[in-house]
Amino acid sequence: RFYIMKNKIINRVIVGIFIGIDIGLFISILFSYLSGSGAYQPAPNKFLEAFPNEITAMIVSAFIWAAIGTMFSVTSLIFTDTEFSISKMTVSHCIINYIIFVPLAILAGWYSFNLLSLISFTIIYISIYFIIWLIFMLINKKHVEEINERLKKS
């Protein structure tokens, strides 16, 4: 059992790294485009200013994006490999990701380390988490209804 879980975690880490980098790159391109400056900016100015050049900032950004992707990928095992109730799974997943995500968001320069920024981040995080959770619950509800329909026909 330990060996199987270890392999699942390793697989999730590898997949999470690439998904995190892909999503981070996409979002950075999107925000660069929306800024209207016509220049690519991998991160906020205050983040870029912490490094000697844009290449170094981009490499660090990629590592942060990889860490975020890994975090979400690995913690999703809470939903597939625990015997918690759906409520306990959801709350555990939300809290663990929040605790890990806050320092990563601060490192990425998305938020400052102060109370107002933390409150703002928390509101946005919970709002996005709830929207994603609601979408997945509706998708899963539909799957359950389809399975029940097939069982009735059998």
Side-chain angles (χ1 to χ4, degrees):
R1 180 161 162 88
F2 172 76
Y3 179 75
I4 293 169
M5 182 55 87
K6 185 177 96 172
N7 286 341
K8 283 183 181 183
I9 291 170
I10 290 169
N11 184 42
R12 294 289 177 105
V13 166
I14 293 167
V15 169
I17 286 170
F18 291 104
I19 290 174
I21 291 171
D22 289 346
I23 292 172
L25 184 58
F26 173 78
I27 291 172
S28 71
I29 291 169
L30 178 67
F31 278 101
S32 294
Y33 179 78
L34 293 175
S35 75
S37 70
Y40 173 67
Q41 192 169 353
N45 281 331
K46 72 177 184 175
F47 179 84
L48 295 173
E49 291 166 2
F51 300 96
N53 54 55
E54 287 183 5
I55 294 171
T56 304
M58 183 64 185
I59 291 168
V60 173
S61 292
F63 275 107
I64 293 170
W65 300 334
I68 292 168
T70 299
M71 172 196 67
F72 282 113
S73 184
V74 171
T75 59
S76 69
L77 289 170
I78 290 171
F79 293 104
T80 58
D81 288 67
T82 64
E83 296 184 21
F84 296 160
S85 67
I86 189 67
S87 299
K88 189 172 182 178
M89 284 186 239
T90 302
V91 170
S92 299
H93 184 261
C94 183
I95 290 170
I96 291 167
N97 282 327
Y98 178 83
I99 289 168
I100 298 168
F101 197 46
V102 167
L104 291 171
I106 292 169
L107 274 174
W110 301 338
Y111 290 90
S112 300
F113 187 60
N114 62 54
L115 185 60
L116 188 59
S117 291
L118 188 60
I119 291 169
S120 171
F121 175 84
T122 303
I123 291 168
I124 292 168
Y125 176 84
I126 291 171
S127 299
I128 292 171
Y129 193 94
F130 177 75
I131 290 166
I132 293 170
W133 175 84
L134 185 62
I135 290 167
F136 276 100
M137 287 301 288
L138 293 172
I139 290 169
N140 286 326
K141 182 181 178 192
K142 185 176 182 201
H143 286 308
V144 168
E145 288 170 356
E146 289 170 357
I147 291 168
N148 284 336
E149 282 300 314
R150 279 190 249 146
L151 288 172
K152 285 179 186 177
K153 291 179 183 178
S154 298

